[in-house]
Amino acid sequence: MDRTRLLQVFSEDSIGQDLTVCGWVRSRRESKGVAFIALSDGSTQETLQLVVPAESPAFTELPRCNTGASIRARGVVRESPAKGQKIELEVSEIHIFGDADPEKYPLQKKGHTLEFLREIGHLRPRSNTFGAVFRVRNVLAKAVHDFFQGRGFMWVHTPVITSSDCEGAGDMFTVTSLDLEDVPKKEGQVDFSQDFFGKRAYLTVSGQLEAEFMAMSVGDVYTFGPTFRAENSNTSRHLSEFWMIEPEMAFADLQDDMKLAEDFIQFLCTQVIEKCEKEIAFFEKFFKTISLSQLQDLATKEFYHISYTDALTQLEKARKKFEFPLQWGLDLQSEHERYLTEIVFKGPVVVTDYPKDIKAFYMRLNDDEKTVAAMDVLLPGIGEIIGGSQREERLDMLTKRMKASEIPLEHMEWYLDLRRFGSAPHAGFGLGFERLVQYITGMHNIRDVIPCPRAPQLIKF
RNA sequence: UCCCGGGUAGCUCAGCUGGCAGAGCAGGUGGCUGUUAACCACCCUGUCGGGGGUUCGAAUCCCUCCCCGGGAGCCA
C-alpha cells in the first residue's frame, strides 16, 4: 500500500510533496468553507492536520470522518498558515477504511481518565497517553538489548515453564495438562507423576538460576522475558505477569554488579531522552509526574550508595515517626525506602549488605558472617526496581545456607555442581521492566505500562 | 489478604439530615471564511453496581456480594 508514516512526514523536509497517509481520526473541526482533521497513525506523538477545503472532492466524505474512523488521505504537504503546527496536508482525496459510529465509539476527542481507559484496553493504545507509553516501552526494550549486546553479553533464553520451585521469589502458577474435572490422586495429594512432565511444573518466577549456569560457561549473559508471580498483590507496582531483565556475570563481585546496574539504568535513560523527546514533553505537560530534567539527572548523576546498617542509622536520626519498627535484622519497609529516596537523598539509592536472614539463600555471605553481598536499587516513587547480589560460589557455604533455608538439596544438585566444578565468583541482578517504564513515563499505575496487564481478577483478552 | 475512599447519562461528577434524577463534556441538528481537545443556538441521554431489608415512600438508611481507586503486606 502506498503510505507515508507520520513520523516520516514530520521528520523529513516533506513540504511540497504529494503523498498518502493512513491513520485514525482524532478530531474533526468544520466550518463552512474548510474542515480540519487531526490524524494519528501511532508512529509518533504528533497528529497531522488534514485541511479539506469545501471545493475538494474529499469534502463529501467528511461526515464519515468521525473520531476513531480509519482513513487514507492523499494531498500535498504545505507550510501551515495558522499557529499550532508547522505543516499540514492539503487533502484532495479521502478514503474511509472503517467507520466509527460516534454514538458508540468509547473514545472521545476530549480526555479520559486512566481508569476508564483501563476498561477498554484494546482501544487505549489509540490515545495520546498510551501511544506515548508504548513507544517509550519499545525504545527501552531495544535499549536493553543494545546495552548488553554492546558489552558482549549473550542473550540467553531461560525457560518459561520450570520444575524448580525453590527460587524463593513468591507463589508460583502451576502448569498442568491434568483433567481438572478428574484429578488423579495418590495418598490424598494430586499425583503429578501422571501429569505432562511427570512432575509438577510451574511458570517461572525468575530465570536467574538457569542464567547462572550459562554465565558459568560463557561469561556474561542476560535474560529478558516474561516472569510470573501468583502473589495476591493488589497494588500499583505489581503484576502477575511482567518482564524481567536478569544479567549474570562470571568473574564479578558486588562492586561490578552495582556498576553494571547503574550504567544500565543510565544508558536506558539516555536512550529515551534521545529518542522520545516528544513523548517526554507530553508526559511532562499532561501528567507533571516526570520531567526531562529529572531524567537527565537520572542519566548523569551518580547513584547514592549506603549499606543497610548505615541506612538504619540514617532512618533512626529522622524526625519522622515510622509505622514499622527500625531494628537491625528487619527488612526495610516501603515507608523507609521512600524516606531514603525522597527525603534523605532525593534520588536513586543503592542499599547494600543486608542481613543474611532476610535475603535469598544464593547471596554471598560477607566476612562479618551476618550480612550478604546484596544490593537493592531504590527509586523515588517506585521503590525497589533492582534486586541483585554477588552469588555464593563456595560449596560449603551455599550448602549450609540452603539447609538453613530448608531448600531441598536433592532438586538442586545441578545448581551445586556449578560450585563443585570450576566454581567462580559471579554476580547479577533482576530488574522489573515495567517498573522502569513506570518511572520513566511517570505513570502511577503499573497496569498502564503493559498492553495486557495481568493481576488478581484481571485477565482481559 | 488487610485498612481507607468510591460505583448515579457514553465520559467526569453533583444530588446522600429519605419526598418528581441533575450539570458540564461527549453525541445529534443548524449556524459560522483557517480551526487547534474551536465557537454560538437548540435537541437527545438513566437497571442511581447486583441482591436483600427498613419505610406510605430509598440514589439517599441497614445487611450482603461484586467491581474500581489509594495505601499496606509480599516483591521486581
Side-chain angles (χ1 to χ4, degrees), chain A residues 29 49 82-83 88 109-111 118 232-233 235 238-239 333 385 435:
Chain A
R29 292 178 291 275
Q49 171 154 282
K83 282 180 188 168
E88 59 190 27
K109 57 184 169 186
K110 293 239 176 179
R118 233 167 266 155
N232 191 9
S233 295
T235 82
H238 292 85
L239 290 166
Q333 302 294 316
I385 190 166
R435 289 203 181 158

Short mmCIF file of all heavy atoms in Angstrom, two decimals, chain A residues 29 49 82-83 88 109-111 118 232-233 235 238-239 333 385 435, chain B residues 1 10-12 32 34-38 69 71-76:
data_model
loop_
_atom_site.label_atom_id
_atom_site.label_comp_id
_atom_site.label_asym_id
_atom_site.label_seq_id
_atom_site.Cartn_x
_atom_site.Cartn_y
_atom_site.Cartn_z
N ARG A 29 -12.85 19.33 12.90
CA ARG A 29 -13.41 20.67 13.14
C ARG A 29 -13.87 21.21 11.80
O ARG A 29 -13.10 21.26 10.85
CB ARG A 29 -12.36 21.60 13.74
CG ARG A 29 -11.92 21.25 15.13
CD ARG A 29 -10.85 22.21 15.63
NE ARG A 29 -9.60 22.04 14.91
CZ ARG A 29 -8.67 21.13 15.24
NH1 ARG A 29 -8.86 20.33 16.25
NH2 ARG A 29 -7.57 21.02 14.52
N GLN A 49 -2.35 17.60 10.75
CA GLN A 49 -3.57 18.33 10.43
C GLN A 49 -3.89 18.17 8.94
O GLN A 49 -3.10 18.57 8.09
CB GLN A 49 -3.42 19.81 10.79
CG GLN A 49 -4.59 20.65 10.28
CD GLN A 49 -4.83 21.90 11.09
OE1 GLN A 49 -5.41 21.87 12.18
NE2 GLN A 49 -4.38 23.01 10.58
N ALA A 82 -1.50 28.86 9.82
CA ALA A 82 -2.01 29.17 11.16
C ALA A 82 -1.04 28.67 12.22
O ALA A 82 -0.18 27.84 11.96
CB ALA A 82 -3.38 28.52 11.35
N LYS A 83 -1.25 29.19 13.44
CA LYS A 83 -0.42 28.76 14.55
C LYS A 83 -0.83 27.35 14.99
O LYS A 83 -1.93 26.92 14.74
CB LYS A 83 -0.58 29.72 15.73
CG LYS A 83 0.20 31.01 15.54
CD LYS A 83 -0.01 31.92 16.74
CE LYS A 83 0.62 33.29 16.47
NZ LYS A 83 0.21 34.28 17.48
N GLU A 88 0.96 20.96 7.32
CA GLU A 88 -0.35 20.34 7.25
C GLU A 88 -0.51 19.72 5.86
O GLU A 88 0.29 19.98 4.97
CB GLU A 88 -1.45 21.38 7.49
CG GLU A 88 -1.41 22.54 6.49
CD GLU A 88 -2.34 23.70 6.86
OE1 GLU A 88 -2.61 23.87 8.06
OE2 GLU A 88 -2.77 24.42 5.95
N LYS A 109 -12.93 12.92 21.65
CA LYS A 109 -11.74 13.74 21.40
C LYS A 109 -11.23 14.41 22.66
O LYS A 109 -10.08 14.75 22.78
CB LYS A 109 -11.99 14.74 20.28
CG LYS A 109 -13.14 15.68 20.50
CD LYS A 109 -13.32 16.54 19.24
CE LYS A 109 -14.61 17.31 19.27
NZ LYS A 109 -14.86 18.03 18.01
N LYS A 110 -12.12 14.58 23.62
CA LYS A 110 -11.67 15.10 24.90
C LYS A 110 -11.04 13.96 25.71
O LYS A 110 -11.22 12.79 25.41
CB LYS A 110 -12.87 15.69 25.67
CG LYS A 110 -13.42 16.92 24.98
CD LYS A 110 -13.37 18.12 25.89
CE LYS A 110 -13.83 19.36 25.14
NZ LYS A 110 -13.83 20.54 26.00
N GLY A 111 -10.34 14.33 26.77
CA GLY A 111 -9.58 13.34 27.52
C GLY A 111 -10.43 12.38 28.33
O GLY A 111 -11.60 12.61 28.58
N ARG A 118 -8.43 1.98 31.11
CA ARG A 118 -8.05 0.62 31.52
C ARG A 118 -9.15 -0.38 31.19
O ARG A 118 -8.89 -1.55 30.96
CB ARG A 118 -7.79 0.63 33.04
CG ARG A 118 -6.44 0.06 33.45
CD ARG A 118 -6.16 0.40 34.90
NE ARG A 118 -5.37 1.61 35.02
CZ ARG A 118 -5.35 2.40 36.08
NH1 ARG A 118 -6.09 2.12 37.13
NH2 ARG A 118 -4.59 3.48 36.08
N ASN A 232 -1.06 -12.70 45.66
CA ASN A 232 -2.29 -11.91 45.65
C ASN A 232 -1.96 -10.46 45.98
O ASN A 232 -2.36 -9.92 47.00
CB ASN A 232 -3.29 -12.50 46.65
CG ASN A 232 -4.66 -11.89 46.49
OD1 ASN A 232 -4.91 -11.16 45.53
ND2 ASN A 232 -5.55 -12.17 47.42
N SER A 233 -1.21 -9.86 45.09
CA SER A 233 -0.79 -8.46 45.29
C SER A 233 -1.72 -7.54 44.54
O SER A 233 -1.88 -7.67 43.34
CB SER A 233 0.63 -8.25 44.74
OG SER A 233 1.56 -8.99 45.47
N THR A 235 -1.64 -3.90 44.05
CA THR A 235 -1.00 -2.60 44.22
C THR A 235 -0.73 -2.00 42.85
O THR A 235 -0.90 -2.64 41.83
CB THR A 235 0.36 -2.69 44.95
OG1 THR A 235 1.36 -3.05 43.99
CG2 THR A 235 0.34 -3.73 46.04
N HIS A 238 2.62 -3.91 41.17
CA HIS A 238 2.77 -5.35 40.95
C HIS A 238 1.90 -5.87 39.81
O HIS A 238 0.76 -5.46 39.66
CB HIS A 238 2.38 -6.12 42.21
CG HIS A 238 3.34 -5.93 43.34
ND1 HIS A 238 3.26 -4.86 44.20
CD2 HIS A 238 4.42 -6.64 43.72
CE1 HIS A 238 4.24 -4.93 45.07
NE2 HIS A 238 4.97 -6.00 44.81
N LEU A 239 2.46 -6.80 39.06
CA LEU A 239 1.71 -7.51 38.03
C LEU A 239 1.92 -9.01 38.25
O LEU A 239 2.94 -9.43 38.81
CB LEU A 239 2.24 -7.14 36.64
CG LEU A 239 1.97 -5.73 36.13
CD1 LEU A 239 2.82 -5.43 34.92
CD2 LEU A 239 0.49 -5.57 35.81
N GLN A 333 10.93 -1.24 55.20
CA GLN A 333 9.57 -1.17 54.69
C GLN A 333 9.48 -0.05 53.64
O GLN A 333 10.36 0.79 53.54
CB GLN A 333 8.60 -0.87 55.84
CG GLN A 333 8.65 -1.91 56.96
CD GLN A 333 8.18 -3.28 56.52
OE1 GLN A 333 7.17 -3.40 55.83
NE2 GLN A 333 8.91 -4.32 56.88
N ILE A 385 13.55 -1.26 42.33
CA ILE A 385 13.47 -1.52 40.89
C ILE A 385 14.45 -2.62 40.52
O ILE A 385 14.25 -3.34 39.54
CB ILE A 385 13.71 -0.24 40.08
CG1 ILE A 385 13.38 -0.47 38.60
CG2 ILE A 385 15.14 0.28 40.23
CD1 ILE A 385 13.26 0.79 37.82
N ARG A 435 8.51 -1.61 35.93
CA ARG A 435 8.77 -0.57 36.92
C ARG A 435 9.66 0.52 36.34
O ARG A 435 9.53 1.69 36.68
CB ARG A 435 9.41 -1.16 38.18
CG ARG A 435 8.42 -1.99 38.95
CD ARG A 435 8.81 -2.12 40.39
NE ARG A 435 7.83 -2.95 41.08
CZ ARG A 435 8.06 -3.60 42.20
NH1 ARG A 435 9.25 -3.54 42.76
NH2 ARG A 435 7.11 -4.30 42.76
P U B 1 -8.75 -12.17 48.75
OP1 U B 1 -7.86 -12.96 47.92
OP2 U B 1 -10.07 -12.64 49.16
"O5'" U B 1 -7.97 -11.73 50.07
"C5'" U B 1 -7.83 -12.61 51.17
"C4'" U B 1 -6.89 -12.01 52.17
"O4'" U B 1 -5.61 -11.75 51.53
"C3'" U B 1 -7.30 -10.64 52.70
"O3'" U B 1 -8.24 -10.77 53.76
"C2'" U B 1 -5.97 -10.05 53.15
"O2'" U B 1 -5.59 -10.57 54.41
"C1'" U B 1 -5.01 -10.58 52.09
N1 U B 1 -4.76 -9.59 51.00
C2 U B 1 -3.90 -8.54 51.28
O2 U B 1 -3.38 -8.41 52.36
N3 U B 1 -3.70 -7.67 50.25
C4 U B 1 -4.25 -7.73 48.99
O4 U B 1 -3.97 -6.87 48.17
C5 U B 1 -5.13 -8.84 48.78
C6 U B 1 -5.34 -9.71 49.77
P G B 10 -25.19 5.81 29.31
OP1 G B 10 -26.10 5.64 28.16
OP2 G B 10 -25.17 4.84 30.42
"O5'" G B 10 -23.72 5.98 28.76
"C5'" G B 10 -23.02 4.86 28.21
"C4'" G B 10 -21.75 5.36 27.59
"O4'" G B 10 -22.11 6.28 26.54
"C3'" G B 10 -20.86 6.16 28.54
"O3'" G B 10 -19.92 5.32 29.17
"C2'" G B 10 -20.18 7.16 27.61
"O2'" G B 10 -19.08 6.57 26.93
"C1'" G B 10 -21.29 7.44 26.58
N9 G B 10 -22.15 8.59 26.94
C8 G B 10 -23.51 8.56 27.03
N7 G B 10 -24.04 9.72 27.33
C5 G B 10 -22.94 10.56 27.42
C6 G B 10 -22.89 11.94 27.72
O6 G B 10 -23.82 12.72 27.97
N1 G B 10 -21.58 12.41 27.72
C2 G B 10 -20.47 11.65 27.46
N2 G B 10 -19.31 12.28 27.53
N3 G B 10 -20.50 10.35 27.19
C4 G B 10 -21.77 9.88 27.18
P C B 11 -19.51 5.58 30.70
OP1 C B 11 -18.68 4.43 31.12
OP2 C B 11 -20.71 5.94 31.49
"O5'" C B 11 -18.57 6.85 30.61
"C5'" C B 11 -17.26 6.76 30.07
"C4'" C B 11 -16.58 8.11 30.12
"O4'" C B 11 -17.37 9.05 29.34
"C3'" C B 11 -16.51 8.74 31.50
"O3'" C B 11 -15.37 8.28 32.21
"C2'" C B 11 -16.43 10.22 31.18
"O2'" C B 11 -15.13 10.59 30.77
"C1'" C B 11 -17.36 10.32 29.97
N1 C B 11 -18.75 10.67 30.31
C2 C B 11 -19.05 11.99 30.70
O2 C B 11 -18.12 12.81 30.77
N3 C B 11 -20.32 12.33 30.98
C4 C B 11 -21.30 11.42 30.89
N4 C B 11 -22.54 11.81 31.18
C5 C B 11 -21.02 10.07 30.51
C6 C B 11 -19.76 9.75 30.24
P U B 12 -15.42 8.26 33.80
OP1 U B 12 -14.12 7.70 34.23
OP2 U B 12 -16.68 7.65 34.25
"O5'" U B 12 -15.45 9.81 34.19
"C5'" U B 12 -14.29 10.62 34.09
"C4'" U B 12 -14.57 12.00 34.60
"O4'" U B 12 -15.59 12.62 33.77
"C3'" U B 12 -15.17 12.07 36.00
"O3'" U B 12 -14.17 11.95 37.00
"C2'" U B 12 -15.84 13.43 35.99
"O2'" U B 12 -14.90 14.47 36.16
"C1'" U B 12 -16.38 13.49 34.56
N1 U B 12 -17.79 13.06 34.48
C2 U B 12 -18.77 14.00 34.74
O2 U B 12 -18.50 15.16 35.03
N3 U B 12 -20.05 13.56 34.64
C4 U B 12 -20.47 12.29 34.32
O4 U B 12 -21.67 12.03 34.27
C5 U B 12 -19.41 11.35 34.07
C6 U B 12 -18.14 11.76 34.15
P C B 32 -23.87 30.04 7.86
OP1 C B 32 -24.20 31.12 6.91
OP2 C B 32 -23.68 28.67 7.37
"O5'" C B 32 -22.56 30.47 8.66
"C5'" C B 32 -22.49 31.73 9.33
"C4'" C B 32 -21.26 31.75 10.22
"O4'" C B 32 -21.37 30.70 11.21
"C3'" C B 32 -19.95 31.46 9.51
"O3'" C B 32 -19.41 32.64 8.93
"C2'" C B 32 -19.08 30.96 10.66
"O2'" C B 32 -18.57 32.02 11.44
"C1'" C B 32 -20.09 30.17 11.50
N1 C B 32 -20.11 28.72 11.18
C2 C B 32 -19.15 27.89 11.79
O2 C B 32 -18.33 28.39 12.56
N3 C B 32 -19.16 26.57 11.50
C4 C B 32 -20.06 26.08 10.65
N4 C B 32 -20.03 24.77 10.41
C5 C B 32 -21.04 26.90 10.02
C6 C B 32 -21.02 28.20 10.31
P G B 34 -13.40 31.07 9.85
OP1 G B 34 -14.29 29.90 10.00
OP2 G B 34 -13.49 32.15 10.86
"O5'" G B 34 -11.88 30.61 9.79
"C5'" G B 34 -11.53 29.27 9.43
"C4'" G B 34 -10.21 28.99 10.06
"O4'" G B 34 -9.41 28.20 9.16
"C3'" G B 34 -9.41 30.26 10.34
"O3'" G B 34 -8.61 30.03 11.47
"C2'" G B 34 -8.52 30.36 9.10
"O2'" G B 34 -7.33 31.07 9.31
"C1'" G B 34 -8.23 28.88 8.88
N9 G B 34 -7.81 28.51 7.53
C8 G B 34 -8.36 28.86 6.33
N7 G B 34 -7.73 28.34 5.31
C5 G B 34 -6.71 27.61 5.87
C6 G B 34 -5.69 26.83 5.27
O6 G B 34 -5.50 26.62 4.08
N1 G B 34 -4.86 26.26 6.20
C2 G B 34 -4.97 26.41 7.56
N2 G B 34 -4.10 25.80 8.31
N3 G B 34 -5.93 27.15 8.15
C4 G B 34 -6.74 27.71 7.24
P U B 35 -8.89 30.74 12.86
OP1 U B 35 -10.01 31.69 12.77
OP2 U B 35 -7.58 31.17 13.37
"O5'" U B 35 -9.35 29.49 13.75
"C5'" U B 35 -10.72 29.17 13.90
"C4'" U B 35 -10.86 27.69 14.00
"O4'" U B 35 -10.36 27.06 12.80
"C3'" U B 35 -10.05 27.04 15.12
"O3'" U B 35 -10.72 27.14 16.36
"C2'" U B 35 -9.94 25.61 14.63
"O2'" U B 35 -11.13 24.90 14.89
"C1'" U B 35 -9.81 25.80 13.12
N1 U B 35 -8.42 25.74 12.64
C2 U B 35 -7.81 24.49 12.60
O2 U B 35 -8.37 23.49 12.97
N3 U B 35 -6.53 24.49 12.13
C4 U B 35 -5.81 25.56 11.68
O4 U B 35 -4.67 25.39 11.27
C5 U B 35 -6.51 26.82 11.74
C6 U B 35 -7.76 26.86 12.21
P U B 36 -9.87 27.28 17.68
OP1 U B 36 -10.84 27.31 18.80
OP2 U B 36 -8.87 28.36 17.51
"O5'" U B 36 -9.02 25.93 17.75
"C5'" U B 36 -9.36 24.84 18.58
"C4'" U B 36 -8.33 23.76 18.38
"O4'" U B 36 -7.70 23.90 17.09
"C3'" U B 36 -7.20 23.79 19.42
"O3'" U B 36 -6.80 22.46 19.66
"C2'" U B 36 -6.10 24.51 18.67
"O2'" U B 36 -4.81 24.18 19.11
"C1'" U B 36 -6.30 23.97 17.24
N1 U B 36 -5.70 24.87 16.25
C2 U B 36 -4.64 24.41 15.48
O2 U B 36 -4.21 23.28 15.58
N3 U B 36 -4.11 25.31 14.61
C4 U B 36 -4.53 26.60 14.42
O4 U B 36 -3.96 27.30 13.59
C5 U B 36 -5.64 27.01 15.25
C6 U B 36 -6.18 26.15 16.12
P A B 37 -6.26 22.02 21.06
OP1 A B 37 -6.49 22.89 22.23
OP2 A B 37 -4.88 21.74 20.64
"O5'" A B 37 -6.98 20.63 21.31
"C5'" A B 37 -7.45 19.85 20.22
"C4'" A B 37 -8.78 19.26 20.59
"O4'" A B 37 -8.58 18.37 21.72
"C3'" A B 37 -9.81 20.30 21.04
"O3'" A B 37 -11.11 19.93 20.58
"C2'" A B 37 -9.79 20.23 22.56
"O2'" A B 37 -11.01 20.54 23.15
"C1'" A B 37 -9.44 18.77 22.79
N9 A B 37 -8.72 18.52 24.02
C8 A B 37 -7.96 19.38 24.75
N7 A B 37 -7.46 18.86 25.83
C5 A B 37 -7.93 17.56 25.81
C6 A B 37 -7.77 16.49 26.68
N6 A B 37 -7.05 16.55 27.79
N1 A B 37 -8.38 15.33 26.37
C2 A B 37 -9.10 15.27 25.26
N3 A B 37 -9.33 16.22 24.35
C4 A B 37 -8.71 17.34 24.71
P A B 38 -11.56 20.61 19.26
OP1 A B 38 -12.96 20.26 18.96
OP2 A B 38 -10.51 20.44 18.28
"O5'" A B 38 -11.52 22.16 19.70
"C5'" A B 38 -12.69 22.78 20.12
"C4'" A B 38 -12.50 24.26 19.97
"O4'" A B 38 -12.20 24.57 18.58
"C3'" A B 38 -13.73 25.09 20.29
"O3'" A B 38 -13.83 25.33 21.69
"C2'" A B 38 -13.46 26.36 19.50
"O2'" A B 38 -12.53 27.20 20.15
"C1'" A B 38 -12.81 25.78 18.22
N9 A B 38 -13.81 25.51 17.18
C8 A B 38 -14.30 24.30 16.78
N7 A B 38 -15.19 24.38 15.82
C5 A B 38 -15.30 25.73 15.58
C6 A B 38 -16.07 26.49 14.68
N6 A B 38 -16.91 25.94 13.81
N1 A B 38 -15.93 27.82 14.69
C2 A B 38 -15.09 28.37 15.56
N3 A B 38 -14.29 27.77 16.46
C4 A B 38 -14.45 26.45 16.41
P G B 69 -8.15 -0.15 39.53
OP1 G B 69 -7.22 0.01 38.39
OP2 G B 69 -8.05 -1.35 40.39
"O5'" G B 69 -8.08 1.13 40.47
"C5'" G B 69 -8.09 2.43 39.89
"C4'" G B 69 -8.15 3.47 40.98
"O4'" G B 69 -9.34 3.26 41.78
"C3'" G B 69 -7.03 3.42 41.99
"O3'" G B 69 -5.86 4.04 41.51
"C2'" G B 69 -7.65 4.17 43.17
"O2'" G B 69 -7.66 5.56 42.93
"C1'" G B 69 -9.08 3.65 43.12
N9 G B 69 -9.29 2.49 43.99
C8 G B 69 -9.46 1.18 43.61
N7 G B 69 -9.64 0.36 44.62
C5 G B 69 -9.58 1.19 45.74
C6 G B 69 -9.70 0.88 47.12
O6 G B 69 -9.90 -0.22 47.65
N1 G B 69 -9.56 2.01 47.91
C2 G B 69 -9.35 3.29 47.44
N2 G B 69 -9.24 4.25 48.36
N3 G B 69 -9.24 3.59 46.16
C4 G B 69 -9.36 2.51 45.37
P G B 71 -0.71 4.69 46.14
OP1 G B 71 0.47 5.56 45.96
OP2 G B 71 -0.89 3.51 45.27
"O5'" G B 71 -0.78 4.20 47.65
"C5'" G B 71 -0.46 5.10 48.70
"C4'" G B 71 -0.78 4.48 50.03
"O4'" G B 71 -2.17 4.05 50.06
"C3'" G B 71 -0.03 3.20 50.39
"O3'" G B 71 1.30 3.43 50.81
"C2'" G B 71 -0.91 2.65 51.51
"O2'" G B 71 -0.72 3.38 52.70
"C1'" G B 71 -2.30 2.93 50.95
N9 G B 71 -2.79 1.77 50.20
C8 G B 71 -2.88 1.60 48.84
N7 G B 71 -3.35 0.42 48.50
C5 G B 71 -3.58 -0.21 49.73
C6 G B 71 -4.09 -1.52 50.00
O6 G B 71 -4.44 -2.40 49.21
N1 G B 71 -4.16 -1.76 51.37
C2 G B 71 -3.79 -0.86 52.34
N2 G B 71 -3.91 -1.26 53.61
N3 G B 71 -3.31 0.36 52.10
C4 G B 71 -3.24 0.60 50.78
P A B 72 2.40 2.31 50.54
OP1 A B 72 3.69 2.87 50.98
OP2 A B 72 2.26 1.80 49.15
"O5'" A B 72 1.97 1.14 51.52
"C5'" A B 72 2.06 1.34 52.93
"C4'" A B 72 1.56 0.13 53.67
"O4'" A B 72 0.18 -0.13 53.32
"C3'" A B 72 2.26 -1.18 53.33
"O3'" A B 72 3.52 -1.31 53.97
"C2'" A B 72 1.24 -2.19 53.82
"O2'" A B 72 1.26 -2.29 55.23
"C1'" A B 72 -0.07 -1.53 53.40
N9 A B 72 -0.49 -2.01 52.07
C8 A B 72 -0.36 -1.38 50.86
N7 A B 72 -0.85 -2.09 49.86
C5 A B 72 -1.31 -3.26 50.46
C6 A B 72 -1.93 -4.41 49.95
N6 A B 72 -2.20 -4.60 48.66
N1 A B 72 -2.26 -5.39 50.82
C2 A B 72 -1.99 -5.21 52.12
N3 A B 72 -1.41 -4.16 52.73
C4 A B 72 -1.09 -3.21 51.83
P G B 73 4.69 -2.12 53.26
OP1 G B 73 5.91 -1.87 54.04
OP2 G B 73 4.67 -1.83 51.81
"O5'" G B 73 4.25 -3.63 53.46
"C5'" G B 73 4.16 -4.20 54.76
"C4'" G B 73 3.53 -5.56 54.67
"O4'" G B 73 2.21 -5.44 54.09
"C3'" G B 73 4.25 -6.54 53.75
"O3'" G B 73 5.28 -7.22 54.43
"C2'" G B 73 3.14 -7.48 53.32
"O2'" G B 73 2.87 -8.45 54.32
"C1'" G B 73 1.94 -6.52 53.23
N9 G B 73 1.77 -6.00 51.87
C8 G B 73 2.25 -4.82 51.36
N7 G B 73 1.93 -4.63 50.10
C5 G B 73 1.20 -5.76 49.78
C6 G B 73 0.58 -6.12 48.54
O6 G B 73 0.57 -5.50 47.49
N1 G B 73 -0.06 -7.36 48.64
C2 G B 73 -0.11 -8.13 49.77
N2 G B 73 -0.76 -9.27 49.67
N3 G B 73 0.45 -7.80 50.92
C4 G B 73 1.08 -6.61 50.85
P C B 74 6.72 -7.34 53.72
OP1 C B 74 7.61 -8.00 54.68
OP2 C B 74 7.09 -6.04 53.14
"O5'" C B 74 6.44 -8.35 52.52
"C5'" C B 74 6.17 -9.73 52.78
"C4'" C B 74 5.76 -10.39 51.49
"O4'" C B 74 4.58 -9.75 50.98
"C3'" C B 74 6.77 -10.27 50.35
"O3'" C B 74 7.79 -11.24 50.44
"C2'" C B 74 5.89 -10.47 49.13
"O2'" C B 74 5.62 -11.84 48.91
"C1'" C B 74 4.59 -9.78 49.57
N1 C B 74 4.52 -8.40 49.04
C2 C B 74 3.77 -8.17 47.88
O2 C B 74 3.21 -9.13 47.35
N3 C B 74 3.68 -6.92 47.37
C4 C B 74 4.32 -5.91 47.97
N4 C B 74 4.21 -4.70 47.43
C5 C B 74 5.09 -6.11 49.16
C6 C B 74 5.16 -7.36 49.65
P C B 75 9.34 -10.77 50.25
OP1 C B 75 10.12 -12.02 50.20
OP2 C B 75 9.67 -9.73 51.25
"O5'" C B 75 9.34 -10.11 48.83
"C5'" C B 75 9.99 -10.75 47.75
"C4'" C B 75 9.37 -10.32 46.46
"O4'" C B 75 8.27 -9.43 46.73
"C3'" C B 75 10.27 -9.50 45.56
"O3'" C B 75 11.07 -10.33 44.76
"C2'" C B 75 9.27 -8.72 44.72
"O2'" C B 75 8.72 -9.53 43.71
"C1'" C B 75 8.17 -8.44 45.74
N1 C B 75 8.26 -7.11 46.38
C2 C B 75 8.04 -5.96 45.61
O2 C B 75 7.81 -6.08 44.40
N3 C B 75 8.08 -4.75 46.21
C4 C B 75 8.32 -4.65 47.51
N4 C B 75 8.35 -3.44 48.05
C5 C B 75 8.57 -5.81 48.32
C6 C B 75 8.53 -6.99 47.72
P A B 76 12.48 -9.77 44.18
OP1 A B 76 13.27 -10.95 43.77
OP2 A B 76 13.02 -8.85 45.18
"O5'" A B 76 12.13 -8.93 42.88
"C5'" A B 76 13.15 -8.71 41.91
"C4'" A B 76 12.82 -7.51 41.05
"O4'" A B 76 11.59 -7.73 40.32
"C3'" A B 76 12.63 -6.23 41.84
"O3'" A B 76 13.16 -5.13 41.14
"C2'" A B 76 11.12 -6.10 41.94
"O2'" A B 76 10.69 -4.78 42.04
"C1'" A B 76 10.65 -6.72 40.63
N9 A B 76 9.35 -7.35 40.75
C8 A B 76 9.00 -8.37 41.59
N7 A B 76 7.75 -8.75 41.48
C5 A B 76 7.24 -7.92 40.51
C6 A B 76 5.95 -7.81 39.94
N6 A B 76 4.94 -8.57 40.30
N1 A B 76 5.76 -6.87 38.99
C2 A B 76 6.80 -6.10 38.63
N3 A B 76 8.05 -6.11 39.10
C4 A B 76 8.21 -7.05 40.05
#
